[in-house]
Amino acid sequence: MSVLLRVHDLAVAYGHIEAVKGLDFHLNEGEITALVGANGAGKSTTLLALSGLIKASRGKIEFQGEDISRLPAHQIVERGLVQVAEGRAILTTLTVEENLQLGAYTRQDKEGIPASMEEVYQLFPRLKERAQQFAGNLSGGEQQMLAIGRALMAKPKLLLLDEPSMGLAPIVVQEIFRILVEINRRGLTILLVEQNVRQALKIAKHGYVIETGKIVLADSGANLLANPKVEEAYLGG
């Protein structure tokens, strides 16, 4: 199993406060990895650093063997590392289709975009039904589907997802996670940041537990689900 992303001693500070304190972890190609922990543990900050949206104060991020630590965010997207932001960040005054087209903005292979659009519509039939509607008129679940679909339009090699279940009804959460498993089955590597720890670890091959900016546990998803410490802290055990 080849390593797609390797992170060494990653630290991120907001002013004098260190939010992420020297993380070491890696992602294997073709797997779902979960990064779980309580609110404020440093999960979202870690993703923003990987995406180049905030600068690390130290450490190294290697993607496909290349050091991307100092690259600007748009160049990181061009290399295939794409993030779905917390809160979805869709453009509400554009149509569903226009949002999806924006996802393909950095692509050089313009002739391949219609096929990608069709793939997204196969994964999310509801988006096809609403293709010409304004994104602001979609339900929360549909907006989350659109955010994931827009990221897929960039043809990522690694998809970073920040709290995809946030604010959604349980039945919609089940659907989102089912689609993530399907996307992964098609070969896409996923790093999933999630407060819904049980749901995330159920679908993850590997997991890392982060507390106050440090990784405190690393194991397979199944082992972490069965770990009494995880159960007590996060699963209401």
Side-chain angles (χ1 to χ4, degrees):
M1 183 63 66
S2 62
V3 173
L4 184 66
L5 182 88
R6 191 181 296 280
V7 174
H8 175 63
D9 194 31
L10 179 70
V12 181
Y14 295 111
H16 297 301
I17 298 165
E18 202 166 49
V20 172
K21 303 169 182 173
L23 301 189
D24 288 281
F25 65 92
H26 70 274
L27 309 180
N28 290 328
E29 196 167 352
E31 292 182 355
I32 298 177
T33 303
L35 181 64
V36 299
N39 229 341
K43 306 185 302 295
S44 295
T45 299
T46 300
L47 288 196
L48 291 170
L50 298 181
S51 302
L53 294 168
I54 55 176
K55 287 299 169 203
S57 47
R58 69 169 190 274
K60 189 175 184 183
I61 303 163
E62 277 185 35
F63 183 58
Q64 295 186 305
E66 179 190 4
D67 185 351
I68 62 167
S69 313
R70 301 285 171 262
L71 290 182
H74 70 277
Q75 288 184 15
I76 291 174
V77 171
E78 285 166 2
R79 280 158 174 75
L81 193 157
V82 178
Q83 179 168 348
V84 179
E86 181 184 342
R88 306 184 264 281
I90 60 162
L91 295 166
T92 54
T93 57
L94 296 183
T95 66
V96 166
E97 191 168 291
E98 286 166 341
N99 268 273
L100 292 175
Q101 284 167 344
L102 272 179
Y105 181 73
T106 59
R107 281 175 60 172
Q108 302 304 310
D109 64 323
K110 300 302 179 193
E111 68 286 348
I113 290 172
S116 296
M117 184 90 73
E118 203 43 54
E119 270 182 56
V120 169
Y121 286 150
Q122 280 174 3
L123 278 167
F124 304 105
R126 268 185 277 179
L127 295 185
K128 187 166 191 174
E129 291 164 19
R130 290 159 173 69
Q132 302 310 319
Q133 291 183 20
F134 290 122
N137 295 336
L138 301 181
S139 70
E142 289 162 352
Q143 289 188 4
Q144 185 62 64
M145 291 173 188
L146 178 56
I148 295 169
R150 184 178 60 186
L152 294 177
M153 289 297 294
K155 283 191 90 170
K157 299 182 178 87
L158 170 59
L159 187 64
L160 310 179
L161 286 148
D162 196 357
E163 304 284 6
S165 76
M166 185 181 278
L168 301 181
I171 192 163
V172 180
V173 172
Q174 295 288 347
E175 174 70 359
I176 296 285
F177 275 77
R178 184 192 65 73
I179 289 164
L180 293 182
V181 169
E182 172 59 24
I183 293 166
N184 173 249
R185 193 187 63 75
R186 297 181 183 192
L188 183 57
T189 308
I190 294 174
L191 176 59
L192 176 62
V193 155
E194 207 17 282
Q195 271 183 281
N196 189 333
V197 174
R198 189 187 306 276
Q199 200 64 270
L201 293 178
K202 263 186 191 171
I203 68 167
K205 184 82 183 281
H206 293 285
Y208 296 95
V209 179
I210 184 170
E211 285 179 8
T212 58
K214 293 179 179 173
I215 288 170
V216 293
L217 283 170
D219 210 330
S220 70
N223 284 350
L224 286 173
L225 259 182
N227 185 314
K229 285 183 188 168
V230 175
E231 189 164 350
E232 191 182 333
Y234 303 107
L235 306 177

